[in-house]
């Protein structure tokens, strides 16, 4: 069975976070690192306040991407400014004074080609927070499989290049 990340409640932990089947791990990230201009791996900033979920995703992505992680919108914004990533993956509902949507808006002003991939277990809250979802808003609903996350990342990065 595919490993899933389920963070609908603050107490939730990723299902099978430590026991991801080897076959799915192999399918979870691209076989080759995603390169830009043939010279570097794609840079991703991951903003996730749930430690278990963040570490699970880190384990999936670090082998193939340059990854920096944040636990709130403030940290994510600092990382965007320092790392100049190709992609930001951010939970919509994050603690701290800087809302996810504010961080993402600032990031897009700084890096117009930046792709933001939102994740949430609360679809109704996302629509309430963001209003109607624009065409360029990319959302991955929790729980999701590692294969679904990898597919969405590849799709977003390919559209960027």
């Amino acid at each position: 069975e595919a490993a899933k990340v389920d963070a609908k409640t603050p107490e939730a932990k990723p299902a099978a976070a430590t026991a991801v089947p080897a076959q799915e791990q192999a399918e979870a990230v691209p076989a080759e690192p995603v390169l830009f201009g043939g010279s570097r791996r794609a840079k991703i900033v991951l903003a996730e306040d749930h430690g278990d979920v963040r570490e699970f995703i880190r384990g999936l992505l670090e082998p193939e991407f340059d990854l920096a992680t944040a636990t709130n919108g403030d940290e994510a914004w600092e990382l965007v400014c320092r790392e100049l990533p190709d992609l930001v993956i951010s939970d919509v509902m994050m603690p701290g004074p800087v809302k996810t949507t504010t961080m993402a808006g600032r990031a897009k002003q700084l890096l117009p080609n930046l792709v933001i991939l939102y994740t949430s277990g609360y679809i109704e809250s996302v629509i309430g927070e963001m209003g109607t979802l624009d065409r360029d808003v990319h959302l991955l609903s929790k729980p999701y499989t590692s294969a679904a996350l990898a597919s969405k990342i590849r799709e977003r990065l390919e559209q960027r290049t």
Side-chain angles (χ1 to χ4, degrees):
E1 179 175 308
K4 290 187 178 180
V5 175
D6 185 356
K8 289 188 177 183
T9 64
E11 304 83 31
K13 298 193 184 311
T18 58
V20 178
Q23 178 183 3
E24 183 168 333
Q25 274 189 334
E27 296 170 0
V29 290
E32 295 293 322
V34 177
L35 301 176
F36 288 91
S39 61
R40 69 172 178 87
R41 297 181 345 155
K43 290 183 184 179
I44 296 176
V45 167
L46 168 65
E48 172 59 62
D49 58 321
H50 292 101
D52 290 340
V53 175
R54 189 175 54 254
E55 292 309 309
F56 177 74
I57 296 170
R58 177 196 306 264
L60 293 172
L61 300 183
E62 274 190 332
E64 303 298 330
F65 301 99
D66 289 336
L67 184 70
T69 62
T71 60
N72 60 49
D74 297 316
E75 289 176 12
W77 171 240
E78 289 175 18
L79 287 173
V80 165
C81 292
R82 185 173 68 230
E83 301 295 327
L84 305 176
D86 303 296
L87 173 72
V88 171
I89 302 170
S90 182
D91 190 356
V92 174
M93 307 291 279
M94 297 278 284
V98 176
K99 289 179 158 186
T100 300
T101 52
T102 302
M103 177 276 299
R106 290 177 184 168
K108 291 288 282 181
Q109 285 180 338
L110 177 67
L111 303 166
N113 293 328
L114 179 67
V115 177
I116 311 281
L117 173 59
Y118 295 102
T119 65
S120 181
Y122 304 98
I123 299 305
E124 297 83 14
S125 297
V126 171
I127 294 172
E129 177 82 14
M130 302 175 133
T132 22
L133 296 178
D134 293 332
R135 188 188 275 261
D136 66 341
V137 172
H138 307 287
L139 178 66
L140 185 60
S141 298
K142 294 178 185 175
Y144 52 79
T145 64
S146 53
L149 175 62
S151 174
K152 198 67 138 170
I153 289 169
R154 280 192 299 270
E155 176 184 304
R156 300 281 60 94
L157 288 173
E158 286 170 3
Q159 287 183 352
R160 184 182 186 279
T161 59

